[in-house]
Amino acid sequence: MQENFWQLTLVTNKGNTPTAPYLEFIEVCLKAGITCVQLREKSSPGEDLMDFGSSLKRLLDLYNVPLIVNDDIDLCIKLSAFGIHLGQSDTEVTEARSAIGADKIIGLSVSTIEQIQNSVTLPIDYIGVGAIFPTHNKPDVETIWGLSGLRQAYLVSSHPIVAIGGIDESNTFSVINSGADGIAAIGAFHQAADPFLTTKNLIKIISEAKND
């Protein structure tokens, strides 16, 4: 499916926001060029999450942008999502691969070099490395990698790297330059005064960094 879908991922943070205005926000970012959306709503009840996920998937399909579901194999299957993103304590990768099939994408979060080394032989498609910088959205992160740590991760990994954690317009160039293939963000989009302009800028910065 979409090549380099991991280039710019918006991670959802809908919370209690009504679905209609939240989808309008997502659509603004879609029009500006996000390349993937990860559905990550830790506090939403299952039925609400299914309803929101279905609406989100319909919107993303209009723009041919893939949906990745965070840590919920059943929801991934029900939504016919593009793939799933797993944490270290979530469903085992081999079990997830068996459940969703060979044609779906699997991403895996890593927080140590050892976890990256262990991921080399796993049937995954990319790794999520984070947090690169301190972030209010995940205050309990195990590791703050920094740019030097990200560079180390790049040298060890055999999979594409999606970097996450405190990434915004001010540091995206350095993150890509340090070995990330793409970035995922929550705050950069949700806290933006102008989500359209911010998304445009992020896409431009990523492109410039890759061509540097």
Side-chain angles (χ1 to χ4, degrees), residues 8 31-33 195-205:
L8 182 58
K31 288 177 178 176
F196 184 88
L197 184 59
T198 292
T199 304
K200 280 283 190 188
N201 286 343
L202 287 170
I203 284 288
K204 182 182 177 191
I205 293 165

Side-chain angles (χ1 to χ4, degrees), residues 48-130:
D48 291 349
L49 194 54
M50 182 65 196
D51 288 345
F52 171 56
S54 297
S55 298
L56 178 61
K57 175 69 162 51
R58 283 194 296 273
L59 175 61
L60 296 182
D61 285 350
L62 294 175
Y63 289 85
N64 198 32
V65 168
L67 174 67
I68 299 286
V69 172
N70 187 75
D71 174 34
D72 191 328
I73 289 175
D74 288 341
L75 185 62
C76 176
I77 293 170
K78 287 175 183 174
L79 293 176
S80 297
F82 186 60
I84 193 162
H85 186 90
L86 300 172
Q88 290 291 321
S89 60
D90 296 334
T91 308
E92 286 203 2
V93 168
T94 49
E95 185 182 333
R97 175 58 74 199
S98 176
I100 67 174
D103 61 328
K104 298 288 186 182
I105 293 295
I106 296 181
L108 179 68
S109 290
V110 295
S111 53
T112 67
I113 291 295
E114 184 182 14
Q115 288 172 359
I116 297 177
Q117 291 168 331
N118 291 339
S119 76
V120 169
T121 57
L122 292 176
I124 61 175
D125 300 279
Y126 72 91
I127 57 171
V129 177

Side-chain angles (χ1 to χ4, degrees), residues 39-53:
L39 176 56
R40 182 182 184 275
E41 298 292 328
K42 293 290 189 179
S43 60
S44 293
E47 189 175 323
D48 291 349
L49 194 54
M50 182 65 196
D51 288 345
F52 171 56

